[in-house]
Amino acid sequence: MVNILMYIANCFIIFGFVGYFIMILVNKRKKITNSDGFNITKDILHEYDSINIVENTGIFTIYNIKRKVIKIASKCYYGNGISDVGIPLMEAGISAIDNKKNKYINIFRKIISNLKYLYILPIIAIGINSITYNIGDARIGIILLIIFSIISYMLIDIKSNASLWIASNIRKIKNIDVSKIMKFINNIILFDKLIFLGELIMIIRFAAILMNFR
């Protein structure tokens, strides 16, 4: 049973990551607006002058929680596909709730500059899960996975609040399909929930090992 739980947990996390990247690739070609990622992000944040938006020459679109700067990857910056717009909008939502003093972002700000760094933890969790078979390792593993799952819960809460903010403000933007964008953004959260579920299953597996339940 513990081996079955190991595979199930790993699959949930892997599917969360793979599903996210497939969603981005599929939706990149689906044009949603005549504008681009930069202007859409600028429009939804027009009341937040303290949040800067710049082009990022790297491959990722991020919100720097220490400097309060949204760095939009070049393809999203100039693109007008669903993912080109949806990814910057998610970062815009995070920046907006950060501007309102989100408690979880304030915690992460003391440690990291970018919330995307937190996605290394589920990958580490897969490694821990795959090598844990005895009680000694399970004791360490269950402590780490409890910490990882709490962080995942906090990240989901941040994105859920960001999604609510986007839903309340996106109608101010002209010539954009609101339903398609919100579906994309809510799917981002769905994949995060799959990762979170995988971590919870790992905790159950480690508990089963500690109880010597085979």
Side-chain angles (χ1 to χ4, degrees), residues 153-169:
Y153 172 82
M154 293 163 70
L155 187 58
I156 291 170
D157 185 81
I158 290 170
K159 289 190 174 183
S160 295
N161 282 300
S163 175
L164 291 173
W165 182 88
I166 294 167
S168 298
N169 290 272

Side-chain angles (χ1 to χ4, degrees), residues 78-96:
Y78 299 105
N80 59 0
I82 294 175
S83 56
D84 296 327
V85 174
I87 294 172
L89 278 179
M90 174 57 83
E91 302 303 318
I94 293 172
S95 69

Side-chain angles (χ1 to χ4, degrees), residues 4 31 34 74 77 84 105 108 113 131 147-148 172-173 184-186 200:
I4 294 174
K31 306 304 178 185
N34 294 325
S74 296
Y77 194 92
D84 296 327
I105 295 178
F108 290 134
S113 60
I131 63 173
I147 294 171
F148 291 177
K172 300 174 184 176
I173 302 173
F184 178 88
I185 288 171
N186 289 328
L200 292 181

Side-chain angles (χ1 to χ4, degrees), residues 1-211:
M1 177 181 175
V2 293
N3 287 338
I4 294 174
L5 288 175
M6 178 183 72
Y7 294 125
I8 292 173
N10 287 351
C11 285
F12 268 109
I13 293 176
I14 292 169
F15 185 77
F17 280 112
V18 173
Y20 173 72
F21 286 113
I22 290 175
M23 181 181 70
I24 290 174
L25 292 174
V26 169
N27 286 285
K28 202 164 188 67
R29 298 178 181 179
K30 298 178 180 178
K31 306 304 178 185
I32 197 171
T33 176
N34 294 325
S35 189
D36 52 45
F38 166 71
N39 282 298
I40 294 294
T41 306
K42 183 181 69 174
D43 288 346
I44 202 169
L45 289 172
H46 72 278
E47 296 178 359
Y48 296 82
D49 295 333
S50 61
I51 302 172
N52 295 318
I53 306 169
V54 300
E55 182 180 356
N56 185 11
T57 54
I59 61 174
F60 294 110
T61 295
I62 64 169
Y63 169 57
N64 189 306
I65 58 178
K66 287 185 179 291
R67 297 182 178 179
K68 296 192 175 184
V69 175
I70 297 175
K71 297 182 178 181
I72 305 178
S74 296
K75 290 183 178 180
C76 293
Y77 194 92
Y78 299 105
N80 59 0
I82 294 175
S83 56
D84 296 327
V85 174
I87 294 172
L89 278 179
M90 174 57 83
E91 302 303 318
I94 293 172
S95 69
I97 65 169
D98 181 29
N99 199 64
K100 297 179 180 179
K101 309 298 181 184
N102 181 273
K103 60 181 179 181
Y104 292 146
I105 295 178
N106 285 336
I107 292 172
F108 290 134
R109 183 180 287 112
K110 298 175 183 177
I111 307 168
I112 56 175
S113 60
N114 170 15
L115 295 178
K116 284 188 168 63
Y117 288 142
L118 298 175
Y119 286 105
I120 192 67
L121 299 181
I123 297 173
I124 294 173
I126 291 176
I128 295 171
N129 190 40
S130 300
I131 63 173
T132 299
Y133 293 95
N134 58 61
I135 292 176
D137 291 340
R139 288 195 185 102
I140 299 172
I142 198 168
I143 293 171
L144 290 175
L145 261 298
I146 288 172
I147 294 171
F148 291 177
S149 61
I150 290 171
I151 290 172
S152 290
Y153 172 82
M154 293 163 70
L155 187 58
I156 291 170
D157 185 81
I158 290 170
K159 289 190 174 183
S160 295
N161 282 300
S163 175
L164 291 173
W165 182 88
I166 294 167
S168 298
N169 290 272
I170 195 171
R171 299 187 186 281
K172 300 174 184 176
I173 302 173
K174 298 179 180 179
N175 301 320
I176 189 170
D177 191 322
V178 174
S179 62
K180 288 183 179 179
I181 279 293
M182 292 312 304
K183 181 180 178 181
F184 178 88
I185 288 171
N186 289 328
N187 281 339
I188 292 176
I189 300 171
L190 174 62
F191 290 125
D192 281 346
K193 288 180 178 178
L194 289 177
I195 293 172
F196 177 59
L197 180 58
E199 292 172 340
L200 292 181
I201 295 172
M202 289 180 188
I203 293 173
I204 295 172
R205 175 177 180 258
F206 295 153
I209 293 173
L210 290 174
M211 293 185 291

